[in-house]
Amino acid sequence: MRSMELVVEGECYISGRFERACIGIDGGRISAIARNLEGDRRIDFGSRKILPAAIDSHVHFREPGMTHKEDFGTGSLAALHGGVSCVLDMPNTVPPTTTMSALDEKTEAAASKSLVDFGLFAAVRPGVDIAGLAPRVAGFKLYMAGTTGDLLVPSLSSVERELAEVARSGKVLAVHAEDESLRRKDLASNLSDHLRNRGNDCEASAIRKVARAGEACRLHICHVSSKDSLSLALGQPNMTAEVTPHHILLDRDRPLGTYGKVNPPLRTRADRQALFLAFKQGRFDTMASDHAPHTVDEKKEDFDFAPSGMPGVETMFPIMLQHARDRHLALATVVRALCERPGEIFGIKKGRIDIGYDADLIVVDFMDGRDVRADDLYSKCGWTAFEGMPAVFPRAVMVRGELVMKDEEQAGEFRGRDVVTNGR
Ligand code: DOR
Ligand code: ZN
Ligand code: ZN
């Protein structure tokens, strides 16, 4: 029998169920799966479960320009401890990712600090060189409403040419779908006011508009948050849809104050329940965290001034694994939305335990749960809106066959790679 460079053994999640198996790994990729395999090195995880690591296709790691909130080192460390082996970073940094030099700067920061693999988004704005950027980005992002950063594109007619180029590039157009023209700017002092300013109609209208103007693009609607958007965003041709943990688990009635202030907003209980059900039924393509850290000091500002966004890259998969453990969600649904579909949509060979895929694996013990505590988390921001929620954190994480984290200890020398350019 041929000897693999590395063999990992345990209860492996393969084709929708757990089976005792060996995963053979060569050059960081899965090269064989069998009951027994020979390896130059061997790691036996015993009765622990081995699952694919998650791809979080929507994070804001804040580098460059806002590294007091997060940077690629801390953000990726948080990702790692949350079982995420690959992140796609959003372009609303300082400078924004809209030029080749900004992309260079961000790529360099990520390549030198990231402990997980990564891909970068560039933003669509009038005049952006879409064709030039396309080969180097995981996708393009369109902001239809004002939020953190100043990438707002208020009228889609101003980016007609750019959208045509995105379509031609074949890259995904990820959309922050809130209609700026329907957004109210009334003084907000709590989550209900914030919701009133960014109502369900605001999201629905933006989805309708981009479905028309971006018809030729591979549209991906980020963070669908309202029950009225479900029929517009789910099951549409040329359109995929993402949901976040906060929109299915939290609503405006939680006493979170500014810590619950996000865009799109936390909505009513009815919205949350409708989103949870749609997710449970497997109608969403992906779940992503929209990890958008701000510091505690920033969140301590008056409600109206406090920035929108909450961290989540570290808690998403662990909380969803707990939901699977408790049978509130099927594990297959969780793995599909967090691992498999993001890989398919963004063309990343990760997210499955299968031959030819990167050996990005997590090891979990479903009997070993622990509640989410801000003090235990690795994000620089130091807080979480999911405090106290039960979760199953991974005991070990592998990225391309390297054991990057085990029992809370991380291997310091590992560096993540750009999944679009492969570091070239
Ligand atoms: O709440 C949000 N925060 N929504 C966004 O669209 C941006 C994000 C951020 O970057 O802080
Ligand atoms: Zn957004
Ligand atoms: Zn975002």
Side-chain angles (χ1 to χ4, degrees):
M1 189 162 27
R2 185 167 72 89
S3 178
M4 314 281 147
E5 283 171 22
L6 173 65
V7 168
V8 174
E9 192 171 1
E11 296 287 325
C12 303
Y13 187 80
I14 297 165
S15 308
R17 60 191 186 86
F18 288 105
E19 55 183 276
R20 177 105 212 139
C22 293
I23 301 172
I25 300 167
D26 285 298
R29 290 220 178 105
I30 299 172
S31 52
I33 299 168
R35 190 78 181 76
N36 293 298
L37 286 172
E38 298 281 317
D40 303 343
R41 285 188 304 128
R42 184 169 203 95
I43 308 176
D44 189 347
F45 287 107
S47 61
R48 296 221 169 116
K49 306 283 192 254
I50 303 179
L51 290 151
I55 298 168
D56 190 342
S57 58
H58 188 155
V59 305
H60 301 263
F61 279 179
R62 307 301 194 199
E63 186 160 6
M66 292 179 285
T67 52
H68 64 289
K69 298 177 197 272
E70 194 80 282
D71 62 50
F72 266 99
T74 55
S76 66
L77 186 58
L80 190 64
H81 286 272
V84 171
S85 66
C86 180
V87 295
L88 303 186
D89 188 65
M90 286 298 165
N92 60 337
T93 39
V94 183
T97 319
T98 49
T99 62
M100 210 58 97
S101 67
L103 188 59
D104 283 340
E105 187 184 351
K106 187 181 277 197
T107 307
E108 209 172 291
S112 67
K113 293 187 191 170
S114 186
L115 298 167
V116 299
D117 284 351
F118 60 88
L120 306 177
F121 277 94
V124 171
R125 262 207 309 207
V128 167
D129 176 14
I130 303 289
L133 293 165
R136 294 189 40 198
V137 298
F140 289 94
K141 178 75 183 276
L142 174 67
Y143 285 95
M144 294 176 71
T147 184
T148 307
D150 60 352
L151 288 169
L152 164 68
V153 175
S155 119
L156 294 182
S157 56
S158 71
V159 288
E160 219 171 284
R161 192 161 40 93
E162 289 74 14
L163 293 183
E165 284 194 25
V166 172
R168 210 167 304 133
S169 76
K171 294 279 171 170
V172 172
L173 181 69
V175 185
H176 181 113
E178 289 188 283
D179 187 337
E180 182 70 13
S181 70
L182 294 179
R183 204 182 118 197
R184 285 166 52 172
K185 308 227 163 95
D186 300 347
L187 184 78
S189 47
N190 55 48
L191 292 176
S192 288
D193 294 349
H194 186 56
L195 172 56
R196 209 169 311 122
N197 281 343
R198 311 178 83 112
N200 289 17
D201 56 327
C202 204
E203 188 172 82
S205 167
I207 296 172
R208 282 198 194 93
K209 283 185 179 173
V210 78
R212 249 178 282 126
E215 193 185 18
C217 298
R218 293 174 60 203
L219 295 170
H220 181 68
I221 308 298
C222 294
H223 44 50
V224 172
S225 61
S226 135
K227 61 179 165 38
D228 301 327
S229 301
L230 296 175
S231 64
L232 300 169
L234 306 187
Q236 303 298 314
N238 301 333
M239 189 185 277
T240 50
E242 163 195 296
V243 72
T244 68
H246 47 276
H247 290 115
I248 70 166
L249 297 174
L250 307 172
D251 58 50
R252 59 123 191 241
D253 296 325
R254 286 256 176 169
L256 289 165
T258 58
Y259 296 103
K261 187 181 178 192
V262 285
N263 299 326
L266 299 181
R267 299 186 191 270
T268 65
R269 185 180 162 155
D271 286 287
R272 168 172 64 76
Q273 289 174 334
L275 290 165
F276 190 97
L277 182 63
F279 180 66
K280 182 183 170 121
Q281 292 170 335
R283 294 172 64 208
F284 275 100
D285 293 276
T286 64
M287 172 174 274
S289 71
D290 195 3
H291 178 80
H294 299 284
T295 66
V296 168
D297 279 349
E298 290 164 338
K299 283 291 195 180
K300 276 187 179 152
E301 296 270 345
D302 284 345
F303 192 96
D304 210 45
F305 285 98
S308 292
M310 62 169 70
V313 69
E314 196 168 354
T315 46
M316 171 172 70
F317 203 6
I319 291 172
M320 290 303 125
L321 288 172
Q322 177 74 36
H323 277 267
R325 195 210 119 134
D326 295 342
R327 306 203 186 284
H328 301 148
L329 295 169
L331 182 60
T333 307
V334 171
V335 170
R336 181 134 185 87
L338 279 76
C339 313
E340 296 170 2
R341 280 300 274 153
E344 289 168 12
I345 292 169
F346 293 97
I348 301 163
K349 267 293 211 179
K350 295 179 183 288
R352 275 176 197 276
I353 300 182
D354 204 352
I355 313 259
Y357 282 74
D358 284 354
D360 288 26
L361 307 170
I362 68 167
V363 179
V364 306
D365 178 350
F366 281 99
M367 301 319 282
D368 180 26
R370 137 167 96 76
D371 293 354
V372 172
R373 297 280 170 230
D375 283 349
D376 298 336
L377 300 177
Y378 292 84
S379 165
K380 196 180 280 189
C381 74
W383 60 276
T384 173
F386 302 102
E387 183 77 22
M389 285 196 188
V392 177
F393 286 88
R395 304 295 300 263
V397 179
M398 269 194 167
V399 188
R400 283 182 279 111
E402 299 277 340
L403 193 58
V404 188
M405 188 275 279
K406 185 163 186 285
D407 298 328
E408 301 281 304
E409 298 283 317
Q410 58 278 347
E413 35 341 315
F414 183 86
R415 284 297 172 270
R417 190 158 82 181
D418 187 325
V419 292
V420 179
T421 62
N422 282 323
R424 279 191 299 274

